[in-house]
Amino acid sequence: MARTIVSIINGRPAGGPGAGTVDSPNPSRLTDVVAEVTLADAATFAAACAAAKQAQPLWADIPAPVRGRTVAAIGRIVEANKEALARLVTRELGKPYPEALGEVQEIIDTCDFFLGEGRRLYGQTVPSEMPDKQLFTFRVPVGTAAVVTAGNFPVAVPSWYVIPALVTGNTVVWKPAEYAAASAMALFELIQAAGLPGGVLNIVFADGPATFGGLEQALQAGTLDKIGFTGSTAVGARIGELAGRHLQSPCLELGGKNPMVVTPDADLELAVEGALFSGFGTAGQRCTSLGTVIIHESVHDEFLAQFAAAVSAAAVGDPAQDVLYGPMLDQKFADRFEEYLGWIQPHHKILGSSAVGRITGASPRAGFVGDPGAGLFYHPTIADGVQPDDDLFRQETFGPIVGVTTYTSFADAVTLANAPGYGLSASIYTSNPREVFGFRRGISAGMVSVNNSTSGAEAHLPFGGNGKSGNGSRQSGLWVLDQFTRWQSMNWDYSGRLQKAQMDVAEITADLGFRLDG
């Protein structure tokens, strides 16, 4: 039975006629409509920002340790509902249930990390260059944040923004993906159960143009102080431009074309396992999904044979069963993936499945789990022989396809890894420490894995990329605090007279010409 979902602003359902409705279907069984979503227009989005702006001072006045206890309560509430939320994510997004459980665990881990930050939002006491004067620094909340998230990680990634924003005293307007509306609303309700006052967290469902228009209106009205965005590089560039016009720096977590370098002395079995998980887990629909395997020519054939065998044997299908991956997240991603498959060229050797494209009765995959005709299921595809000027090498391909190319010298491998211009995640498989640190120095990625896949974030490490993958902002761990707080300095002169910095400073005279005899 489909749930009817509307935006919640200041603790109440949004009024007005809305901007139409969309369905959120189960991508593994398209006849199962999970939610019917009423979309908001730009004015409603802007109204949510205004409500959050009004609520922010009172929320910031609540002592930070108390806000930390609220975050602790959110973690415990999510933990008590872990299985139910994971089942909903599997139903609405087609994510295999073990992955969905892991995603919900990431919310819990994020809360466990940040619950203590309410007592650790440290500033510093700094010595002054003048007597009877003291200097201080403080972290202060940015204000009101608009958080726009994708649906491939419908509950974990939002928590990366929402939890640290709340604990640092900000209010939030969250705009989830429409195709993840039921999962998003479930998380919103779990967070609200921790006792947040009205207006502190608001959820708005809107399409892209309405969201962009709402952001623009809120920025012009002065009711929005920070934008956090997870999504495509193209949209991130537009949001960055919009924020820049208002002298704001957004938090942008964008796409990736993540390389995996495999050296001659690598453990090939381990590398194949990593390539399988990062290339085809979540049907290749992660920002950290493996884009291209860059393998030394001496071990190319052996690796490719093992990789192709592993992909061919992998279980694909019903995400409620034991499978490597399930369907595409939504019809729009299936349509886009069809475009990416059009980038396959005659010089590419295709492996990994019995066909390319959508899995159907007419185009079956051996060992498919479930009914392929029920959902948006696609064959896994390995494209060997990709070249630096190929679209398959240069562009992000959001779906179950992995390119393979070769290198001769280590310097060539690093050059190839950086060539697409993204900089999110990169991996190297080697037993040579010199290559480990040479790769780390040379790679443009914000995250580097050694003998591990390109996918796999932990809640206490910085997450984010450079180049086409982001603007250098970071999520998770202590580093995200810089996104939701600003440093404020204060000087307190209790000398009773005006002391001028750099002028009224005592000096001790040194004999700089002094030398030892002999």
Side-chain angles (χ1 to χ4, degrees):
M1 183 176 180
R3 180 181 180 183
T4 300
I5 291 178
V6 299
S7 303
I8 304 294
I9 300 172
N10 205 20
R12 297 182 295 274
T21 62
V22 294
D23 288 341
S24 177
N26 177 343
S28 63
R29 195 168 69 253
L30 293 169
T31 57
D32 174 26
V33 177
V34 181
E36 183 183 82
V37 188
T38 299
L39 297 178
D41 58 15
T44 302
F45 189 100
C49 293
K53 187 73 170 180
Q54 185 174 14
Q56 195 271 329
L58 291 176
W59 178 243
D61 282 345
I62 292 174
V66 178
R67 297 196 302 263
R69 291 203 298 271
T70 301
V71 165
I74 294 170
R76 301 291 73 79
I77 292 167
V78 171
E79 191 169 41
N81 290 273
K82 181 177 179 178
E83 291 78 12
L85 183 56
R87 285 193 297 270
L88 180 57
V89 169
T90 293
R91 180 187 172 203
E92 186 175 35
L93 283 308
K95 183 169 291 195
Y97 183 63
E99 277 195 49
L101 282 171
E103 176 165 351
V104 178
Q105 182 62 45
E106 196 159 348
I107 307 170
I108 300 165
D109 294 345
T110 298
C111 290
D112 286 350
F113 182 88
F114 282 104
L115 65 89
E117 287 310 306
R119 297 183 183 273
R120 288 194 301 268
L121 289 175
Y122 297 144
Q124 291 179 312
T125 302
V126 184
S128 173
E129 63 188 27
M130 289 172 283
D132 298 325
K133 185 179 181 183
Q134 193 65 63
L135 311 179
F136 306 89
T137 64
F138 303 87
R139 280 193 185 271
V140 297
V142 169
T144 293
V147 173
V148 182
T149 57
N152 55 340
F153 285 86
V155 293
V157 168
S159 75
W160 294 357
Y161 291 102
V162 172
I163 297 305
L166 293 178
V167 81
T168 50
N170 301 276
T171 52
V172 178
V173 176
W174 175 26
K175 204 297 286 186
E178 309 93 289
Y179 60 89
S183 300
M185 183 56 78
L187 178 59
F188 174 82
E189 291 170 343
L190 292 172
I191 294 174
Q192 285 298 108
L196 293 183
V200 171
L201 177 62
N202 309 271
I203 188 166
V204 177
F205 298 94
D207 63 16
T211 300
F212 193 85
L215 291 171
E216 192 166 32
Q217 289 181 28
L219 287 167
Q220 290 170 349
T223 56
L224 180 58
D225 305 294
K226 185 75 178 184
I227 301 173
F229 173 76
T230 296
S232 72
T233 299
V235 175
R238 290 192 64 208
I239 288 177
E241 180 184 19
L242 173 64
R245 292 205 302 268
H246 294 268
L247 303 182
Q248 290 192 19
S249 175
C251 181
L252 301 176
E253 197 276 287
L254 310 177
K257 188 66 178 178
N258 308 295
M260 174 187 288
V261 171
V262 182
T263 68
D265 57 359
D267 181 335
L268 292 188
E269 184 177 347
L270 184 63
V272 165
E273 186 179 6
L276 181 68
F277 173 74
S278 59
F280 298 102
T282 322
Q285 298 168 107
R286 304 174 182 140
C287 56
T288 57
S289 289
L290 172 61
T292 305
V293 178
I294 302 169
I295 185 163
H296 192 269
E297 57 189 7
S298 66
V299 290
H300 166 269
D301 292 352
E302 183 180 355
F303 173 86
L304 188 63
Q306 292 186 33
F307 187 32
V311 174
S312 296
V316 176
D318 181 359
Q321 305 299 317
D322 184 13
V323 296
L324 174 63
Y325 72 84
M328 302 299 286
L329 296 164
D330 184 72
Q331 185 64 54
K332 68 179 179 181
F333 295 108
D335 294 342
R336 201 170 299 161
F337 187 63
E338 296 277 3
E339 297 178 17
Y340 302 149
L341 292 175
W343 296 348
I344 294 173
Q345 300 296 315
H347 62 269
H348 297 148
K349 180 181 179 181
I350 303 303
L351 308 95
S353 195
S354 52
V356 172
R358 191 163 178 175
I359 302 172
T360 65
S363 180
R365 174 176 167 83
F368 184 86
V369 179
D371 177 8
L376 302 171
F377 300 101
Y378 277 77
H379 289 276
T381 301
I382 301 170
D384 183 36
V386 297
Q387 300 173 0
D389 57 350
D390 292 343
D391 285 332
L392 277 182
F393 179 88
R394 294 183 294 108
Q395 304 295 333
E396 182 179 28
T397 48
F398 203 67
I401 184 169
V402 172
V404 178
T405 193
T406 59
Y407 75 93
T408 304
S409 72
F410 186 75
D412 290 340
V414 175
T415 298
L416 287 168
N418 286 328
Y422 293 85
L424 185 57
S425 180
S427 172
I428 183 169
Y429 280 79
T430 182
S431 58
N432 185 334
R434 187 184 300 273
E435 290 179 333
V436 169
F437 287 99
F439 187 69
R440 187 209 62 77
R441 285 194 304 271
I443 196 67
S444 63
M447 300 178 290
V448 180
S449 293
V450 181
N451 296 330
N452 200 354
S453 75
T454 59
S455 296
E458 295 192 36
H460 49 286
L461 275 178
F463 186 100
N466 311 310
K468 295 180 184 178
S469 294
N471 60 346
S473 57
R474 293 294 182 265
Q475 297 166 297
S476 297
L478 292 173
W479 299 267
V480 75
L481 296 178
D482 290 332
Q483 297 300 314
F484 292 109
T485 59
R486 295 189 177 113
W487 283 107
Q488 182 183 63
S489 63
M490 183 179 82
N491 76 82
W492 184 352
D493 192 323
Y494 48 91
S495 67
R497 66 186 189 277
L498 176 63
Q499 300 187 92
K500 298 182 287 295
Q502 292 89 46
M503 290 183 280
D504 299 332
V505 179
E507 291 188 11
I508 296 176
T509 303
D511 181 2
L512 299 180
F514 176 80
R515 299 293 184 272
L516 293 172
D517 294 335

